[in-house]
Amino acid sequence: GNRVADQLVEGMSYMDFLRPFTTAAFAHGREERKGYLESLSVEERRRLREGGGEQMVSVDLSRRNIRMIPLEAYLLLGPFVAKIRFSRNRISEIPVQLSRWSHISSLLFDYNQITQLPKSLGVHCCDFLTDLNASNNLLSTLPSTFGRLSSLTSLMLSGNKFSSVPRVLGECTSLKRLGMRNCSLSEASALGTLRLLESCALTGNRPLMHLPIELGGCTSLTSLDFDPVAFPPPEIWQLGREHLLEHLSLLLAARVSHSADISSLSLETLSIGVCRETHLTLLDASNNKLPTLPPCTSLLSNLTSLNIATNALRSLPTAVGHMVNMTHLDASHNHLESLPPVIGNMVTLTTLILANNSLSCLPLSTRKLRLLSVVDLSSNPLSQPPADVATGGNGGEVVRYMRALYAFMSGSPVILSRCGLLHMPLALLQTPGSELLHQLGWYSEADPLEP
């Protein structure tokens, strides 16, 4: 009995170590009960437990300085042992013989030195295992078979070395409680498939700056603990869990509709979490407090309609030049002082709303917007195009005027027909050395195409 005592436990004999196992094994007539239990189907065994027809036994070997679990421990446990606690020991490895504990419903291995869980955990221990605690170990991955734990409802993995929530965890669809505090997580999208999740603890993961949009599908979630994140923005999560989940649910639904409405939320930033939804074709971010649009806006290259009206924008980033599919842009009621030249890349633009800004002129690149039909430049101190062109609301007239202005500045013949002019533009008339009669002639033929 003393042959491995020194290797296993400090300060107790080998027989003392095995006593809890032998007690649990024989206290209820091990052989007779095991034979009876194994004659039942999995469903019959489950109903027996739920109906209280078994007298369940717990084995507690916590705080024993145990270094390894001997084979005898796997052999002696009877079929009515439901819970085993190995908390706060020095165990570094769980042998594959764990498969012999197929009847266990609760396993506690927290506060040890375990580096990996055996694959047998998901192969043979999946019938009744509902509670697994492997917190405060050295785990960085979960076995590929872990998703087979179909009855698992509670999983504690806090204080390990995970860099992300393992994707295989998303296969544990019965999971209701998850603890992954202090794991250095930077990514957690696998949580989105846990539709029955009720409680999730993610505090202490400083690299985690974005909560996954997929959490919006966890409709049973009643408790969610996390540190401050960039997405969703503070304006959302500071309002509480319900507002947070509603926001995530909205963005999750947008993956189907390709349309997202994040208006009137007092947002001060358009977060990377929204910009990563590259499938979006319609985005309404109006009536917020956005002072600028981030560079990551360039990811939204599939947008056809963007509403950023009634914000605090003073300029648009060059990133908007990547929105080459845009047909409708509303940036009215901001503080825009200029537009970036790359706006000319929006060659599919048909509607441009820029009313109530501080624009003094449009960039010459707007001459490329040949499909522009509706434009609103009211309540801007514009000098180019002149007021009679700008206030007409005709996008074609504005584009033709900007083309004429570009031609004039480049020394080419100027065509000012069909520009909506009520007066001859003084800026052109007062330019010395110009061939005015030729350049300002009212041509009746169609405008020539630019190179």
Side-chain angles (χ1 to χ4, degrees), residues 147-344:
R148 301 182 189 180
L149 296 173
S150 57
S151 298
L152 192 65
T153 59
S154 176
L155 176 63
M156 299 294 119
L157 294 173
S158 298
N160 280 285
K161 295 187 174 183
F162 296 100
S163 60
S164 64
V165 176
R167 294 203 172 274
V168 69
L169 187 58
E171 301 175 18
C172 300
T173 53
S174 297
L175 201 61
K176 295 182 178 180
R177 292 173 296 279
L178 175 65
M180 292 195 74
R181 292 188 174 96
N182 303 310
C183 287
S184 299
L185 297 177
S186 60
E187 199 273 332
S189 60
L191 297 177
T193 58
L194 303 176
R195 303 293 180 174
L196 300 181
L197 198 63
E198 298 175 355
S199 173
C200 183
L202 299 173
T203 52
N205 292 291
R206 289 299 180 185
L208 185 64
M209 296 305 296
H210 301 89
L211 294 181
I213 288 177
E214 292 82 358
L215 273 177
C218 300
T219 56
S220 300
L221 198 60
T222 57
S223 175
L224 178 62
D225 297 327
F226 58 93
D227 293 322
V229 292
F231 176 79
E235 299 86 12
I236 299 296
W237 53 259
Q238 285 178 350
L239 295 176
R241 175 185 51 81
E242 291 185 0
H243 284 83
L244 168 66
L245 293 179
E246 181 181 354
H247 182 69
L248 294 178
S249 178
L250 181 150
L251 294 177
L252 185 62
R255 292 183 173 177
V256 178
S257 65
H258 296 177
S259 174
D261 184 354
I262 54 174
S263 61
S264 304
L265 294 175
S266 298
L267 298 178
E268 297 182 2
T269 179
L270 188 63
S271 63
I272 182 65
V274 173
C275 294
R276 284 176 176 170
E277 300 301 301
T278 56
H279 55 278
L280 290 176
T281 58
L282 284 84
L283 177 62
D284 187 352
S286 61
N287 197 28
N288 283 295
K289 300 178 180 179
L290 301 175
T292 185
L293 297 181
C296 61
T297 308
S298 61
L299 298 175
L300 298 171
S301 58
N302 289 318
L303 279 182
T304 60
S305 177
L306 175 62
N307 189 349
I308 47 176
T310 318
N311 277 283
L313 298 169
R314 293 191 174 276
S315 63
L316 297 180
T318 57
V320 299
H322 293 271
M323 300 178 182
V324 294
N325 296 304
M326 188 74 67
T327 61
H328 182 101
L329 175 61
D330 187 348
S332 59
H333 297 275
N334 280 284
H335 309 293
L336 296 176
E337 299 174 353
S338 63
L339 296 179
V342 292
I343 198 170

Side-chain angles (χ1 to χ4, degrees), residues 10-185:
E10 295 178 359
M12 65 186 300
S13 70
Y14 186 56
M15 293 307 296
D16 287 339
F17 170 75
L18 290 180
R19 186 169 291 112
F21 294 95
T22 56
T23 300
F26 296 107
H28 299 279
R30 176 179 183 274
E31 295 300 330
E32 293 181 4
R33 288 182 179 268
K34 182 177 182 181
Y36 165 69
L37 191 63
E38 291 181 346
S39 68
L40 302 176
S41 66
V42 171
E43 186 58 32
E44 288 173 329
R45 293 169 67 185
R46 191 187 308 278
R47 287 200 299 266
L48 185 63
R49 286 193 175 215
E50 292 175 351
E54 299 180 11
Q55 237 182 326
M56 307 315 299
V57 179
S58 297
V59 174
D60 187 353
L61 284 169
S62 56
R63 301 177 184 273
R64 304 287 183 99
N65 283 325
I66 299 172
R67 299 174 184 171
M68 61 177 289
I69 304 174
L71 179 61
E72 288 85 347
Y74 300 98
L75 296 176
L76 289 173
L77 281 182
F80 290 95
V81 177
K83 181 177 181 179
I84 306 179
R85 180 187 292 271
F86 281 101
S87 305
R88 298 184 181 274
N89 284 293
R90 299 164 61 186
I91 300 169
S92 60
E93 181 182 2
I94 301 176
V96 295
Q97 285 84 1
L98 182 69
S99 61
R100 292 182 175 272
W101 291 348
S102 59
H103 47 280
I104 297 298
S105 63
S106 179
L107 283 173
L108 287 77
F109 288 106
D110 50 311
Y111 290 95
N112 279 282
Q113 301 169 13
I114 301 168
T115 57
Q116 63 180 2
L117 298 177
K119 290 185 177 181
S120 58
L121 179 65
V123 176
H124 300 287
C125 291
C126 55
D127 291 346
F128 295 107
L129 187 62
T130 59
D131 179 19
L132 176 61
N133 189 340
S135 298
N136 296 287
N137 280 282
L138 303 175
L139 299 173
S140 59
T141 60
L142 293 178
S144 58
T145 56
F146 197 84
R148 301 182 189 180
L149 296 173
S150 57
S151 298
L152 192 65
T153 59
S154 176
L155 176 63
M156 299 294 119
L157 294 173
S158 298
N160 280 285
K161 295 187 174 183
F162 296 100
S163 60
S164 64
V165 176
R167 294 203 172 274
V168 69
L169 187 58
E171 301 175 18
C172 300
T173 53
S174 297
L175 201 61
K176 295 182 178 180
R177 292 173 296 279
L178 175 65
M180 292 195 74
R181 292 188 174 96
N182 303 310
C183 287
S184 299
L185 297 177

